Amino acid sequence: MCRRLTTAEAARRLAAEGPNRLPMRRAAPWWRRLAAQLVHFFALVFGSASGLAFVAGLPQLGVAILIVVVPNGLFAFAQEERAQHTATADSPL
């Protein structure tokens, strides 16, 4: 059974506890967020594969792998930035 909160109880809780808001966290610098996209597990695995391709005498393969990994990291960074801006935008509440 659902019990309704009275106006008096809501005012008492507001005075005692304060408004129901999450504290704002300071965002990491953009270069650190970008670096995080480029050093996650799969990016490191593919980066290692690229390095091994260069060592094995297959520079075309090494470059091809980097051509996929770097833009993927940039795209993921851009998507995360857009999502963060949307999440922190002023809401009507």
Side-chain angles (χ1 to χ4, degrees):
M1 183 168 202
C2 188
R3 193 180 117 213
R4 297 205 178 238
L5 191 63
T6 65
T7 304
E9 178 65 14
R12 185 191 68 73
R13 288 184 186 185
L14 181 62
E17 304 295 331
N20 189 14
R21 296 187 192 270
L22 293 174
M24 294 299 289
R25 233 178 64 194
R26 185 175 177 159
W30 69 269
W31 56 269
R32 196 174 278 176
R33 294 188 308 269
L34 177 59
Q37 292 296 334
L38 297 174
V39 297
H40 66 81
F41 177 73
F42 287 113
L44 292 176
V45 168
F46 285 118
S48 299
S50 175
L52 289 173
F54 281 109
V55 169
L58 301 167
Q60 297 90 352
L61 179 60
V63 169
I65 292 171
L66 290 177
I67 287 174
V68 171
V69 171
V70 172
N72 182 61
L74 294 173
F75 179 74
F77 171 73
Q79 290 292 94
E80 187 175 289
E81 285 296 299
R82 287 173 52 187
Q84 186 63 34
H85 286 291
T86 300
T88 59
D90 289 335
S91 67
L93 296 178

